[in-house]
């Protein structure tokens, strides 16, 4: 497709809020190690801004944002942004968390719709204007880069929005973001609103206008593109479109629309599109939120051609049914990547191509896993290598690790699993259980050792590559039984043995739950630890 010359005025800044609005999705809780890994991957992807979290939410959230600011917010890296309600405490916390980044940004927000003013804030319109003035000025005194969002702008009176946004600019805001918080508007309405605000807000030519849409009516991507067509030059998006309720605008959809239709949109981004598939997989694996197969750009079927007529067309010329190639989004066509005769050097080079950087010890560890896999599987693909790396190095801190697993199953029979886990005490523990199937038996055996009451709410298996020797990938989500919150914990495991992959996924979710509940030293004195290792079954 033809590329127009890139006019700097038409470069859209990609503001990724996967770690903030995305993490607010039901069930998407990430450990701080996972947040850092995602932030690093977002930097590799080339996003301009990472909204790393909401520091006032908890000391853990503040710490998570601070680590991202310190480790990913380098001079040549992205802007690191922290969200704050329009009050001094939130703004102070956000600043504390992001100030070590080379390019910090405070993002403060205050609702402007009458519904929010009356029922949530219990403030008058005048009070909201006054608070905007005070808090944007306060944030600006701390940080040169300040973004202001009138929450629920989509249902706010446009005339009143102009008044509030004018005050935000006068008080030092450098980016004005217009959220359709509840995904209510149609693309025509959202585009017209954006056009009106840009035209009527005095000083509007001195700031960056930003779009932030939710997908309640399935219009987030269309609304975002309409806002950009109306003059906005920042898009707030999440990987895989995860977020509150129906989610946020999906990063990959907006980026690929702009990339695939340059002569229509006349826009460009700084995104390395070949990192899209990888980033999508990482976010899905870490959050436990599975991407639907027909999801645009990153769904498993997005580049599959099943119908005979389509296959025939594709064989004649790929452009008959393909508007973008799988390679553009980082899906490798070549199956043969490495095999059992490949050496350490070839493995290292392949990892580098995939954007994975490992220290010498980690490389050795990964190479051993690769050799094991190559013994079982003839062809080891990029997807296999990524799954292996994710399995080995990403994921929660290991409280319990899998030391052994044996199952007996069949028909008729009593599916039985024997499991050995190494616990936080460094000891191995054994348990055996009978279940409805081998996975159920393995999970029951794990439950006997880790006495943390949790319910399995989702279990999915996926073959990473085709073929009988494919690496199986299992994603699970669990919920703590004695907890009223909707928070669930995702886990992920990969192995050529699907029962082993299932046990690893369940353990990784349990490890996350244990890390979240503060399994060790954070327990007040005298209170029983959340982790009760069933000491009656030591391995030796
Ligand atoms: O949807 C929304 O209104 C938000 C704001 C905090 C920007 O996420
Ligand atoms: Zn939002």
């Amino acid at each position: 497709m033809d590329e127009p010359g890139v006019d700097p005025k038409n470069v859209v800044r990609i503001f990724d809020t996967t770690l903030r609005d995305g993490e607010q999705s039901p069930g998407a809780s990430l450990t701080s190690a996972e947040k850092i890994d995602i932030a690093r991957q977002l930097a590799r992807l080339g996003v301009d801004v990472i909204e790393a979290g909401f520091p006032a939410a908890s000391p853990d959230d503040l710490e998570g944002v601070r680590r991202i600011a310190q480790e990913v917010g380098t001079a040549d890296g992205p802007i690191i942004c922290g969200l704050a309600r329009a009050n001094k405490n939130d703004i102070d916390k956000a600043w504390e968390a992001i100030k070590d980044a080379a390019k910090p940004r405070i993002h403060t927000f205050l609702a402007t719709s009458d519904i929010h003013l009356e029922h949530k804030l219990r403030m008058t319109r005048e009070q909201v204007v006054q608070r905007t003035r005070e808090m944007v000025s306060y944030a600006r005194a701390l940080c040169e880069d300040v973004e202001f969002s009138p929450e629920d702008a989509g249902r706010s009176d446009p005339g009143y929005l102009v008044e509030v946004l004018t005050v935000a600019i006068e008080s030092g805001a450098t980016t004005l973001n217009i959220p359709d918080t509840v995904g209510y508007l149609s693309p025509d309405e959202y585009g017209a609103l954006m056009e009106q605000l840009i035209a009527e807000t005095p000083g509007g030519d001195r700031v960056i206008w930003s779009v932030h849409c939710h997908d309640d009516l399935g219009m987030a991507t269309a609304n975002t593109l309409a806002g950009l067509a109306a003059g906005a030059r920042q898009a707030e998006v999440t990987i895989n479109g995860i977020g509150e309720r129906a989610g946020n605008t999906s990063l990959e959809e907006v980026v690929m629309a702009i990339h695939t239709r340059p002569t229509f949109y006349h826009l460009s981004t700084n995104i390395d599109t070949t990192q899209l598939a990888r980033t999508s997989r990482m976010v899905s694996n870490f959050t436990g939120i599975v991407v639907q197969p027909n999801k645009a750009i990153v769904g498993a079927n997005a580049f599959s051609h099943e119908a005979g007529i389509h296959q025939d067309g594709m064989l004649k010329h790929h452009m008959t049914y393909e508007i973008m190639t799988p390679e553009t989004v980082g899906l490798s066509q070549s199956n043969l990547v490495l095999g059992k005769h490949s050496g350490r050097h070839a493995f290292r080079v392949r990892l580098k191509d995939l954007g994975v950087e490992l220290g010498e010890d980690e490389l050795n560890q990964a190479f051993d896993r690769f050799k094991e896999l190559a013994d079982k599987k003839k062809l080891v693909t990029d997807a296999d290598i990524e799954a292996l790396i994710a399995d080995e190095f990403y994921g929660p801190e290991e409280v319990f690790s899998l030391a052994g697993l044996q199952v007996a199953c069949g028909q008729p029979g009593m599916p039985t699993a024997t499991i050995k886990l190494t616990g936080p005490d460094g000891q191995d523990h054994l348990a055996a259980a009978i279940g409805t199937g081998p996975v159920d038996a393995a999970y029951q055996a794990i439950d006997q050792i880790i006495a943390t009451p949790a319910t399995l709410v989702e279990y999915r298996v996926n073959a990473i590559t085709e073929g009988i020797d494919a690496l199986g990938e299992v994603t699970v989500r669990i919920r703590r039984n004695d907890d009223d919150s909707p928070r669930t914990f995702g886990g992920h495991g990969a192995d050529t043995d699907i029962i082993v992959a299932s046990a690893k996924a369940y353990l990784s979710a349990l490890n996350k739950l244990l890390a979240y509940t503060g399994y060790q030293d954070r327990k007040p004195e005298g209170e029983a630890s959340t982790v009760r290792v069933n000491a009656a079954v030591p391995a030796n």
Side-chain angles (χ1 to χ4, degrees):
M1 315 258 166
D2 46 60
E3 281 277 349
V6 176
D7 178 345
K9 283 203 304 301
N10 292 335
V11 176
V12 175
R13 290 151 191 83
I14 297 296
F15 176 115
D16 182 277
T17 183
T18 306
L19 296 174
R20 200 277 299 170
D21 226 348
E23 218 232 351
Q24 286 172 218
S25 314
S29 31
L30 296 162
T31 64
S32 38
E34 287 171 329
K35 287 182 189 172
I36 291 276
D37 286 334
I38 290 178
R40 287 215 173 92
Q41 178 57 24
L42 290 171
R44 224 175 271 132
L45 177 67
V47 306
D48 302 279
V49 187
I50 294 178
E51 186 161 56
F54 182 17
S58 74
D60 274 358
D61 285 67
L62 192 150
E63 213 35 55
V65 177
R66 195 207 308 272
R67 273 193 67 194
I68 292 173
Q70 289 169 342
E71 295 178 32
V72 188
T74 54
D76 56 353
I79 293 171
I80 306 296
C81 175
L83 183 72
R85 285 165 296 193
N87 66 59
K88 285 190 179 172
N89 175 59
D90 274 32
I91 294 172
D92 287 341
K93 295 254 163 59
W95 177 238
E96 198 184 326
I98 58 166
K99 65 179 194 288
D100 293 337
K103 293 174 275 179
R105 172 181 296 184
I106 296 174
H107 176 191
T108 187
F109 71 98
L110 186 58
T112 46
S113 68
D114 289 335
I115 300 173
H116 278 237
L117 262 60
E118 190 184 333
H119 301 289
K120 187 182 83 171
L121 298 177
R122 294 173 204 276
M123 287 170 81
T124 63
R125 285 188 173 196
E126 292 68 36
Q127 285 171 324
V128 165
V129 170
Q130 185 54 23
R131 176 82 71 84
T132 303
R133 189 183 301 284
E134 285 165 11
M135 290 306 123
V136 173
S137 307
Y138 186 74
R140 183 59 201 259
L142 297 170
C143 182
E144 279 193 356
D145 187 346
V146 174
E147 173 169 329
F148 174 73
S149 292
E151 191 191 10
D152 203 16
R155 291 187 300 170
S156 301
D157 165 8
Y160 177 58
L161 271 179
V162 169
E163 192 186 332
V164 174
L165 293 169
T166 304
V167 165
I169 296 178
E170 287 167 1
S171 312
T174 43
T175 298
L176 294 181
N177 178 48
I178 308 302
D180 182 17
T181 304
V182 289
Y184 179 68
L185 296 184
S186 73
D188 285 353
E189 285 173 306
Y190 188 72
L193 175 65
M194 191 56 81
E195 211 169 287
Q196 180 182 353
L197 297 178
I198 295 175
E200 292 181 10
T201 309
D205 53 339
R206 299 199 307 268
V207 296
I208 306 284
W209 290 86
S210 167
V211 288
H212 179 115
C213 300
H214 282 262
D215 207 30
D216 298 66
L217 292 172
M219 274 189 278
T221 297
N223 285 354
T224 293
L225 291 166
L228 295 175
R233 286 296 175 268
Q234 174 176 284
E236 302 204 351
V237 288
T238 61
I239 300 296
N240 301 334
I242 63 169
E244 285 278 11
R245 306 179 311 277
N248 287 60
T249 307
S250 126
L251 179 149
E252 57 279 5
E253 290 175 15
V254 172
V255 166
M256 287 313 290
I258 291 173
H259 186 87
T260 309
R261 304 294 311 279
T263 54
F264 181 77
Y265 291 109
H266 300 285
L267 296 171
S268 66
T269 70
N270 294 318
I271 295 296
D272 173 359
T273 61
T274 63
Q275 292 289 334
L276 286 172
R278 176 157 197 254
T279 317
S280 161
R281 274 199 295 269
M282 182 185 264
V283 169
S284 172
N285 289 346
F286 288 5
T287 56
I289 299 176
V290 178
V291 176
Q292 75 194 53
N294 59 327
K295 164 86 177 63
I297 320 295
V298 291
N301 294 346
F303 293 92
S304 304
H305 303 272
E306 196 71 30
I309 297 173
H310 289 207
Q311 287 181 348
D312 180 55
M314 282 296 288
L315 289 172
K316 288 178 175 141
H317 198 291
H318 76 97
M319 280 182 78
T320 51
Y321 287 103
E322 204 169 68
I323 58 166
M324 54 198 154
T325 62
E327 288 85 352
T328 326
V329 302
L331 291 169
S332 168
Q333 279 295 70
S334 79
N335 252 346
L336 180 63
V337 179
L338 295 171
K340 75 185 217 177
H341 300 298
S342 307
R344 190 181 307 266
H345 179 66
F347 182 64
R348 188 203 297 266
V349 170
R350 195 66 218 134
L351 285 181
K352 197 156 177 268
D353 289 347
L354 290 170
V356 180
E357 282 155 36
L358 298 179
E360 209 48 43
D361 288 349
E362 288 175 330
L363 180 75
N364 291 340
Q365 199 180 326
F367 187 66
D368 289 346
R369 275 289 303 268
F370 160 72
K371 279 288 179 190
E372 259 174 50
L373 182 63
D375 270 342
K376 294 184 195 158
K377 231 177 154 267
K378 254 213 207 106
L379 309 176
V380 180
T381 65
D382 286 355
D384 290 327
I385 295 176
E386 281 182 358
L388 179 156
I389 295 294
D391 196 52
E392 196 69 24
F393 300 110
Y394 300 143
E397 176 197 345
E398 278 208 318
V399 185
F400 287 90
S401 58
L402 185 65
L405 168 64
Q406 261 181 2
V407 291
C409 59
Q411 188 69 281
M414 290 175 293
T416 311
T418 310
I419 204 130
K420 180 154 79 169
L421 302 183
T422 308
D425 49 3
Q427 303 288 315
D428 283 344
H429 301 270
L430 269 181
I434 297 172
T436 53
V439 174
D440 182 48
Y443 285 14
Q444 288 200 39
I446 291 173
D447 285 344
Q448 283 183 27
I449 300 174
I450 308 174
T452 286
T455 304
L456 183 69
V457 289
E458 200 170 304
Y459 170 87
R460 282 182 200 244
V461 192
N462 176 35
I464 292 177
T465 44
E466 287 164 14
I468 195 73
D469 59 356
L471 205 54
E473 194 176 35
V474 175
T475 311
V476 301
R477 276 208 276 158
I478 60 171
R479 176 175 292 120
R480 208 175 151 206
N481 289 348
D482 55 357
D483 188 1
D484 288 337
S485 90
R487 191 177 271 268
T488 58
F489 298 84
H492 170 261
D495 202 280
T496 46
D497 182 324
I498 205 66
I499 312 296
V500 173
S502 302
K504 283 181 177 173
Y506 188 51
L507 264 183
S508 106
L510 278 171
N511 281 336
K512 255 197 215 180
L513 188 157
L514 295 174
Y516 177 75
T517 50
Y519 67 95
Q520 277 173 337
D521 357 54
R522 280 188 242 145
K523 287 273 133 195
E525 204 140 305
E527 196 177 301
S529 161
T530 319
V531 181
R532 284 185 289 109
V533 178
N534 187 346
V537 286
N540 39 32

